[in-house]
Amino acid sequence: MEVIIQPTAGRAADLVAQLVAKWLREKPHLVLGLATGRTMENVYSRLVQMHRVEGLDFSLCRTFNLDEYIGLGEGSPFSYRHYMHQHLFRQVNIDLRNTYLPDGAAANLPAACRRYEDQIREFGGIDLQLLGIGAGGHIGFNEPLSALSSRTREKALTQTTLDQNGPLCGGDPKTMPRRALTMGVGTILEAERILLLATGASKAGILAKAIEGPITSMISATALQLHRSCRIVVDEDAAQKLEGKEYYRWLLQNEPEWAPYRDT
Ligand code: F6R
């Protein structure tokens, strides 16, 4: 695991967008795992900008989103499909037939989950998985006690998640979906590379547990410690509680492998 501390949330999002763009240029058929949420909006706006200004090409890439709510009507403005259209898909030259999300409207949800796993496998697996981290430490919607080997499946959302995401779902607790389909922790860990972005002081406590605490299914983000190529990009506010932050800073400034990331 590598932790990269950037001075501001904006610089952290810039760095994540630059890394995505670099890998997309190197491999136009990139299979890209996507996250939603407030943190990712900054990354997507930068990728859209790169598409417009530098011609960053999404035409051959395939995307698989981490999760989708269950029970939202087709075209709901609160669905993650809608979020992705708004923040990325309709603003770049991606082929919508190459964009996949778990089907939260399927009549047979377990079958939809199996199909999703099959589709990821058919394209050779995820090359790069983008992640955020929830207030309770989830990645995707892998809530406490998610097995570290779990696959795409249905999960009930915790009150912490309902409180976190309620405002994004219109703010009415009665209409907020309480269940979702999510890639499992095991599905996420099979990605070739992982890039997690966390910004803001509200994430500092859970981030320190995820990066430096013991691995536990109570906090699914701790499973990332098992991954061989996981980069965590944070701003100063989110880095506040990291015990090793001076060491992470030293590595960024001194290790040759970090040189490309110093002035971004
Ligand atoms: C969303 C997802 C979640 C979010 C997390 C952080 O697709 O997978 O794990 O990344 O809840 O959300 P924000 O960025 O809104 O704090």
Side-chain angles (χ1 to χ4, degrees), residues 34-40 65-67 80 131-135 138-142 161 164-165 168 182 197 203:
L34 297 173
T36 59
R38 296 176 187 86
T39 316
M40 284 300 146
N65 267 77
L66 282 166
D67 38 25
Y80 283 166
L131 295 176
I133 181 171
H138 69 206
I139 48 176
F141 274 136
N142 288 289
T161 299
Q164 177 193 294
N165 288 5
L168 300 175
T182 179
L197 173 63
K203 296 285 171 71

Side-chain angles (χ1 to χ4, degrees), residues 155-174:
K155 282 304 278 184
L157 305 179
T158 60
Q159 192 56 48
T160 306
T161 299
L162 296 173
D163 292 343
Q164 177 193 294
N165 288 5
L168 300 175
C169 288
D172 180 355
K174 287 198 287 296

Side-chain angles (χ1 to χ4, degrees), residues 83-260:
Y83 171 107
M84 289 311 309
H85 274 285
Q86 207 183 1
H87 293 288
L88 187 68
F89 295 163
R90 74 171 180 224
Q91 306 204 53
V92 298
N93 64 333
I94 201 160
D95 182 342
L96 287 180
R97 288 169 302 183
N98 291 338
T99 63
Y100 297 83
L101 285 92
D103 183 1
N108 184 338
L109 293 171
C113 292
R114 283 193 298 275
R115 195 166 57 247
Y116 202 59
E117 291 275 340
D118 290 345
Q119 285 167 326
I120 293 173
R121 251 191 309 275
E122 273 163 30
F123 290 114
I126 291 172
D127 294 308
L128 170 63
Q129 178 66 57
L130 287 181
L131 295 176
I133 181 171
H138 69 206
I139 48 176
F141 274 136
N142 288 289
E143 303 291 38
L145 297 186
S146 288
L148 301 186
S149 59
S150 51
R151 313 303 308 187
T152 303
R153 70 215 184 288
E154 183 174 350
K155 282 304 278 184
L157 305 179
T158 60
Q159 192 56 48
T160 306
T161 299
L162 296 173
D163 292 343
Q164 177 193 294
N165 288 5
L168 300 175
C169 288
D172 180 355
K174 287 198 287 296
T175 53
M176 163 92 196
R178 304 189 72 89
R179 305 181 79 79
L181 297 185
T182 179
M183 279 186 204
V185 182
T187 320
I188 293 169
L189 289 180
E190 279 175 11
E192 195 60 29
R193 290 188 172 103
I194 293 179
L195 197 48
L196 183 147
L197 173 63
T199 56
S202 66
K203 296 285 171 71
I206 196 65
L207 194 71
K209 286 183 185 168
I211 295 174
E212 296 173 338
I215 296 175
T216 167
S217 61
M218 285 300 288
I219 301 174
S220 62
T222 61
L224 299 174
Q225 295 174 30
L226 297 167
H227 196 272
R228 65 185 181 284
S229 179
C230 176
R231 291 196 169 118
I232 313 259
V233 179
V234 300
D235 67 350
E236 284 290 349
D237 287 343
Q240 276 172 52
K241 298 199 173 157
L242 293 174
E243 278 183 27
K245 67 180 167 188
E246 294 315 323
Y247 177 60
Y248 311 145
R249 273 195 242 281
W250 186 91
L251 290 175
L252 181 58
Q253 292 311 321
N254 294 282
E255 290 289 271
E257 60 160 311
W258 295 88

Side-chain angles (χ1 to χ4, degrees), residues 36-101:
T36 59
R38 296 176 187 86
T39 316
M40 284 300 146
E41 289 177 17
N42 295 325
V43 174
Y44 297 141
S45 69
R46 283 157 173 80
L47 288 173
V48 168
Q49 194 65 11
M50 286 182 200
H51 169 69
R52 287 186 187 149
V53 177
E54 301 160 29
L56 183 65
D57 182 16
F58 290 82
S59 63
L60 298 175
C61 113
R62 293 186 173 81
T63 64
F64 284 89
N65 267 77
L66 282 166
D67 38 25
E68 179 60 283
Y69 291 116
I70 293 171
L72 290 180
E74 193 163 318
S76 163
F78 307 130
S79 74
Y80 283 166
R81 166 67 73 183
H82 184 269
Y83 171 107
M84 289 311 309
H85 274 285
Q86 207 183 1
H87 293 288
L88 187 68
F89 295 163
R90 74 171 180 224
Q91 306 204 53
V92 298
N93 64 333
I94 201 160
D95 182 342
L96 287 180
R97 288 169 302 183
N98 291 338
T99 63
Y100 297 83
L101 285 92

